[in-house]
Amino acid sequence: MEYKYYISSHNGIETLYRIKEGRIGDSAGTLESFQSGGWSNDLNSIKSFMNKYAAGWLDENDAMDYSIAIGALRKKIDEARSFAAEKHGNQKYGKFPYEVHLINVINVLISNGILPDTEINIDLWSSAWLHDVLEDTDTARDEIIDRFGINIFEIVWSLTDGKGENRKEKKQAMYERLILNQNAIIIKLADRIANLQFSIINNNQEKIKLYADENEDLNRYLANRITERKGLALLDYLNGLIDKMKL
């Protein structure tokens, strides 16, 4: 099926729309928006688009092919990086600026073929930049929703430690949410791989032991829960690193 793609603001967020080939007025019944990780015919979003069309703010001349639309959406990633840099401020990752860790997580995605070339992967990259802002900064829930949408908020929230008396309890509370969000699982695994690789490079034996000890718990929660090939590949990679450290 051939589609035309449009980008239009909905609730202040740049949103990707698609419609079957043809004029908007003739094909409005096929109009969909990309929300919460999938294509939707949500009436509020469609009404927002059609109101702009009726008012002359967009028309068929604004249509673009998929690759151009994805390219335009990538600015969300830059916005997420800037937002994270501002929120983390002067926080450190060891002796380095905190952004070093976020870059390392992005590099794990790249090395595993997760590139910003689809709607889902753009959300993954954005979430990778933002994954610690709820846990480690004063960022509020609504700030993320208003700037990046509910899908990215849910990923970041699923990666945020829960309540508990110690690290183990906080991680377990987080795992209970994590297993309900496939995209969050992908970012969690990339995060753990990045942390472990950094610890290996810097010969931080304390951190290496910590991540190795926690890996059994992580695997127990993720057992039979991962449905995405990206997630399965990342888990295999993480477990391979852990096994090497045990030799």
Side-chain angles (χ1 to χ4, degrees), residues 88-101:
H88 285 291
N90 294 322
Q91 289 178 0
K92 295 292 186 180
Y93 182 65
K95 63 181 180 180
F96 299 97
Y98 200 82
E99 190 178 39
V100 167
H101 169 57

Side-chain angles (χ1 to χ4, degrees), residues 17-197:
Y17 291 83
R18 72 180 184 184
I19 194 168
K20 285 184 182 178
E21 291 282 8
R23 293 182 56 81
I24 296 175
D26 299 331
S27 305
T30 70
L31 182 64
E32 297 174 302
S33 62
F34 189 80
Q35 298 186 63
S36 300
W39 289 103
S40 167
N41 56 4
D42 172 69
L43 291 179
N44 288 329
S45 176
I46 291 172
K47 183 178 179 180
S48 171
F49 181 94
M50 293 305 296
N51 284 343
K52 291 182 175 66
Y53 172 69
W57 287 104
L58 57 82
D59 59 28
E60 281 77 11
N61 293 323
D62 295 308
M64 58 190 81
D65 66 25
Y66 184 74
S67 60
I68 294 175
I70 289 299
L73 277 183
R74 288 194 190 110
K75 70 178 184 179
K76 183 191 290 187
I77 298 172
D78 296 331
E79 292 172 1
R81 180 175 187 171
S82 296
F83 183 89
E86 177 185 348
K87 288 295 184 178
H88 285 291
N90 294 322
Q91 289 178 0
K92 295 292 186 180
Y93 182 65
K95 63 181 180 180
F96 299 97
Y98 200 82
E99 190 178 39
V100 167
H101 169 57
L102 305 180
I103 291 171
N104 289 345
V105 176
I106 291 291
N107 285 335
V108 171
L109 297 181
I110 293 172
S111 65
N112 283 273
I114 303 173
L115 305 177
D117 53 6
T118 66
E119 309 93 321
I120 287 289
N121 287 359
I122 287 172
D123 278 1
L124 286 173
W125 275 51
S126 300
S127 301
W129 287 113
L130 298 169
H131 75 272
D132 279 332
V133 295
L134 284 177
E135 184 172 303
D136 294 336
T137 78
D138 62 357
T139 302
R141 169 185 184 273
D142 288 345
E143 285 184 86
I144 299 178
I145 294 174
D146 291 345
R147 289 281 295 273
F148 303 101
I150 189 67
N151 188 48
I152 288 177
F153 165 75
E154 288 176 348
I155 295 172
V156 175
W157 178 74
S158 298
L159 293 162
T160 302
D161 280 357
K163 295 180 180 180
E165 295 296 323
N166 51 52
R167 178 182 171 95
K168 183 179 180 67
E169 290 181 3
K170 291 176 182 178
K171 294 299 178 188
Q172 288 177 339
M174 179 266 291
Y175 293 153
E176 293 288 349
R177 298 195 304 269
L178 180 73
I179 58 178
L180 302 177
N181 191 310
Q182 292 296 311
N183 290 324
I185 290 172
I186 290 168
I187 300 303
K188 181 60 190 177
L189 291 169
D191 174 45
R192 181 50 57 93
I193 290 167
N195 278 324
L196 180 57
Q197 289 176 329

